[in-house]
Every structure is written in C-alpha cells, then in structure tokens.
Amino acid sequence: MKSIHQTLCILLISGAVCFTASAQTTVPKKNYTLVIHGGAGNITASNLPAEIAAQYKSELSEVLRHGDSILRDGGTSIDAVESCVRMMEDCPLFNAGKGAVFTAEGKNELDAAIMDGKTGLAGAVAGVTTIKNPISAARAVMEKSNHVMMAGKGAEVFAAENGLEIVDPTYFFTQNRWNDYLKAKSKADSISNIDKKHGTVGCVAVDIYGNLAAATSTGGMTLKKYGRIGDSPIIGAGTYADNASCAISATGHGEFFIRNVVAYDIAALMKYKGLPLAEAANEVVMQKLRQQGGAGGIIGVDAKGNYTMTFNTAGMFRGYIKSDGEMKVGMFMEE
Ligand code: ASP
C-alpha cells in the first residue's frame, strides 16, 4: 500500500514538474526590433568615397549585431539603446562622442538624451565637454537624480560623482572634423547654409517584454554658437519613447526639430489620431518639416516591432535588425 502511495506521489510530482517546464517553454516570447541611425544629410554615392562608405556599413552592422546580442538574451531595450549609442559615440566616424563636430570657437560641446517608454522616465545632458560617453550621463540623470536635464559644468560634476569616465576635451578631436570646421569657417559664418551632413547617432528598440526605449547623442552642428543646444537632448524634439505609441530618435537641423516638437508630434499622431507609425512619421518629416525646409530624418519603432527610417534628405546612415534575423543597413535614398 505504502509503495503504491509513494509511486502515485512520484508520478504526481514529476507530472507537475513536466507541466511547469512545458508551460515555461510554450510562453510566447515577444519579438524584438532595434533600429539605429548615424545622421542624415547630403549623403550620396557620388559624394561618399566607396572606402568611407564601406567603413560606415561595417560599423553600422557591428552596432546592429551588438544590439541584437543584448535583446536576444532577454536584455532590456533601455540597455540596448544606451549600449549601441555608446558604441557609436566611441567611433570617430560619427558626430557624437569622439569625432564630434566643432563649435564656432573650435570646441566640442555634446548633447544626449535617453527615454524609457515603459516608465516614462527620461534623462539628458547638454553642452558637456569632458564626459566620454554623454549617453551614459543622460541615463545617470534619469536614474540617479530627480531631474530630467543637466547642462554644462553641473552635468560634468554629476557624471564624475556617478563614476562615469571623464576625459580631456582634446579626446573628442579628429583631424577630419577639424578639416570640415576649417572649410566651413572659410565659407560661412552661419549654420544654416553649411554642414549638409548631420552625423548625430541614435537608437530605438522594442524588447521581448514589449518595452520601448530611445537614445540620441550628438556634437550638434558645425559652427554652432557657444551654448547652443540642439534637438537631440530635448525630450519630445529629438528623442521620445512611450510604450503606448512609439520610440523616436531624430537627426537633422535641430532648430526645426525643436520648433516642431518632432518626436512627440509623431507619437501624438499615433496616440490621438490612430495613425500607424510610418504614416505619422511621413506626415511630420516628409510633409511638415519638408515644407519648412527642415532637413533631416528619424528612426522609430512601435510596441509591435513595426519600424520606420524616414528622412527628407539625400541619405541617412541607418539600419535595423529584428528577432527573426532580418537585418539591413542603408545610407543612400534608393537603398
Ligand atoms: N540634430 C542635431 C542638432 O541639431 C544635429 C544632427 O542631427 O546632426 O544638434
């Protein structure tokens, strides 16, 4: 009797274990999508030497694969966007972190922002000159302060206090950007008719939990005046994320993106007018901005994994990767 009872118990327990195991494996994991940009502008096959184009392509692909490895293992979208933007900040090809463009005074002043679509929390830094990875400082502002945005010296002190890497301002120097600066300086004294290439970087993602995040980092625009702040660190202008609508990162002529609250405008069209992501982006970037002469583009993703890479310039460094392995990198309009 006792042994029958024991056998029954064992059967019941192992059945429960089996049920639990199969219940776990059959829980459907949501799909993830990650999108990046490395700036928009007059990027055409004729003005980008093949050798440089290949460098951009390879770097963009590497960043996408990096983001993919985070999301595939169940990492969060906020971790993925920060990490991908850090990689691009460290790469001298882009106008963010090392390789940032120069202000009218020949300095590098950096802006960055990050937003978590799940919590609605956001962080940003503006006009910083010594923080190696401004995007991580933006995240620290979001997570370790009661504020959303910190600028200049205060942001730098805060970053140092929170253990972020501080560098000498000369760290950001690259000869290529300096040459661009000298050329721009000899041709113009206004930012409106120069720098037809915007090399800001950004990343948006939806993770397997269905949470959205957006991050943007930039050196701004060549020959910008002291203290000028662009759209990238302004929540709702160059960066925005809300699980209920979309995550957006922008690049382009910042003043237009600020005045048109571009990232939030796209989210609002989805939320209040029920437009799909691509249509909302089209209305804002291809119509509203274009009519005003506001050059640039955006990347966006929604909670279902739909994505868009919409730009009204000749090109935009861009790419996406999805959980089913689909991946694409592009630079020019026709790609
Ligand atoms: N949007 C940036 C700014 O105006 C520039 C860029 O995207 O390259 O600061």
Side-chain angles (χ1 to χ4, degrees), residues 37-40 95 101 111 191 195 197-201 216-222 224 228-233 238 250-258 295-297:
H37 72 74
N95 169 21
V101 300
D111 302 333
I191 59 170
D195 192 27
K197 271 194 227 91
H198 308 278
T200 292
V201 305
T216 315
S217 183
T218 189
M221 295 177 78
T222 304
K224 67 182 182 181
R228 178 265 190 188
I229 291 167
D231 59 310
S232 311
T251 175
H253 196 149
E255 281 67 14
F256 289 85
F257 283 69
I258 296 172

Side-chain angles (χ1 to χ4, degrees), residues 17-300:
V17 169
C18 282
F19 176 77
T20 315
S22 71
Q24 265 173 4
T25 49
T26 55
V27 169
K29 275 195 173 180
K30 289 199 179 153
N31 295 328
Y32 61 82
T33 303
L34 180 129
V35 193
I36 56 173
H37 72 74
N42 193 20
I43 302 158
T44 60
S46 57
N47 66 20
L48 195 67
E51 182 197 320
I52 308 285
Q55 285 174 23
Y56 275 103
K57 245 189 171 152
S58 126
E59 181 66 22
L60 291 168
S61 307
E62 222 177 285
V63 174
L64 286 175
R65 281 193 284 270
H66 174 69
D68 183 68
S69 72
I70 296 173
L71 295 176
R72 191 185 334 118
D73 289 344
T76 60
S77 53
I78 198 80
D79 281 344
V81 298
E82 182 198 358
S83 197
C84 287
V85 166
R86 273 183 76 103
M87 245 179 115
M88 291 189 277
E89 285 177 340
D90 292 343
C91 172
L93 287 173
F94 303 107
N95 169 21
K98 185 160 184 71
V101 300
F102 288 90
T103 67
E105 296 171 301
K107 294 183 178 163
N108 303 114
E109 293 181 0
L110 315 170
D111 302 333
I114 192 162
M115 187 159 185
D116 185 337
K118 178 185 169 198
T119 59
L121 294 175
V125 293
V128 296
T129 58
T130 60
I131 302 171
K132 180 169 180 261
N133 291 107
I135 198 63
S136 296
R139 186 163 182 187
V141 171
M142 174 172 83
E143 291 177 344
K144 296 177 180 157
S145 84
N146 295 323
H147 309 302
V148 170
M149 185 187 266
M150 291 190 194
K153 261 270 148 302
E156 289 167 359
V157 170
F158 176 79
E161 281 173 1
N162 282 281
L164 296 181
E165 192 171 349
I166 301 299
V167 290
D168 188 86
T170 54
Y171 161 80
F172 301 105
F173 178 94
T174 60
Q175 193 60 48
N176 281 347
R177 292 290 184 210
W178 187 249
N179 295 345
D180 290 348
Y181 163 74
L182 294 177
K183 207 158 92 193
K185 219 176 160 192
S186 68
K187 275 200 212 148
D189 59 1
S190 145
I191 59 170
S192 58
N193 61 345
I194 51 131
D195 192 27
K196 294 276 163 45
K197 271 194 227 91
H198 308 278
T200 292
V201 305
C203 182
V204 295
V206 56
D207 59 29
I208 61 166
Y209 317 103
N211 293 320
L212 303 181
T216 315
S217 183
T218 189
M221 295 177 78
T222 304
L223 290 195
K224 67 182 182 181
K225 285 223 187 297
Y226 35 72
R228 178 265 190 188
I229 291 167
D231 59 310
S232 311
I234 297 181
I235 299 305
T239 307
Y240 190 71
D242 174 12
N243 273 7
S245 51
C246 59
I248 302 287
S249 170
T251 175
H253 196 149
E255 281 67 14
F256 289 85
F257 283 69
I258 296 172
R259 286 193 289 261
N260 288 283
V261 203
V262 164
Y264 184 73
D265 202 23
I266 295 169
L269 282 170
M270 293 178 69
K271 205 164 165 179
Y272 303 128
K273 218 175 167 186
L275 291 192
L277 172 64
E279 269 179 52
N282 201 63
E283 189 161 326
V284 176
V285 177
M286 306 309 282
Q287 294 177 45
K288 210 189 234 187
L289 277 178
R290 184 138 72 176
Q291 277 158 19
Q292 296 174 24
I298 63 101
I299 51 170

